[in-house]
Amino acid sequence: NLRRNALSGTVPSEVGSMSALTALSLRTNALSGTIPSEVGNLGALKFLSLRDNALSGTLPSEVGNLSTLIVLNLNNNALPGTIPSEVGNM
């Protein structure tokens, strides 16, 4: 849980190498840029919260690979467009 730490910069693509991670909360920081497609490598992830940041770009279709995900919270960002159809695979 790294919420409310005034973290800035981007979410690093290396986050995708933490394959045993079950929960990731980076909410309420100052993160910007796009959500890396490598987040789709987090096969054990059940909870992902990136809310209340300044993330932009579209939601990567690789999020649909997160078959164990129960909670996905992305509100209060600047994510335009539609939800990828692959998210329906979750």
Side-chain angles (χ1 to χ4, degrees), residues 12-50:
S13 60
E14 291 82 4
V15 72
S17 66
M18 298 187 282
S19 58
L21 196 67
T22 59
L24 177 60
S25 179
L26 295 171
R27 66 180 272 190
T28 317
N29 281 293
L31 297 172
S32 59
T34 61
I35 298 170
S37 60
E38 290 83 0
V39 76
N41 297 335
L42 301 175
L45 201 64
K46 295 180 181 181
F47 178 89
L48 176 60
S49 181
L50 299 173

Side-chain angles (χ1 to χ4, degrees), residues 15-87:
V15 72
S17 66
M18 298 187 282
S19 58
L21 196 67
T22 59
L24 177 60
S25 179
L26 295 171
R27 66 180 272 190
T28 317
N29 281 293
L31 297 172
S32 59
T34 61
I35 298 170
S37 60
E38 290 83 0
V39 76
N41 297 335
L42 301 175
L45 201 64
K46 295 180 181 181
F47 178 89
L48 176 60
S49 181
L50 299 173
R51 68 177 279 180
D52 300 323
N53 281 289
L55 297 171
S56 59
T58 58
L59 184 62
S61 61
E62 290 82 0
V63 170
N65 297 338
L66 303 176
S67 60
T68 61
L69 196 66
I70 297 168
V71 174
L72 175 61
N73 193 338
L74 301 171
N75 62 310
N76 294 324
N77 281 291
L79 301 171
T82 59
I83 297 171
S85 61
E86 291 84 357
V87 171

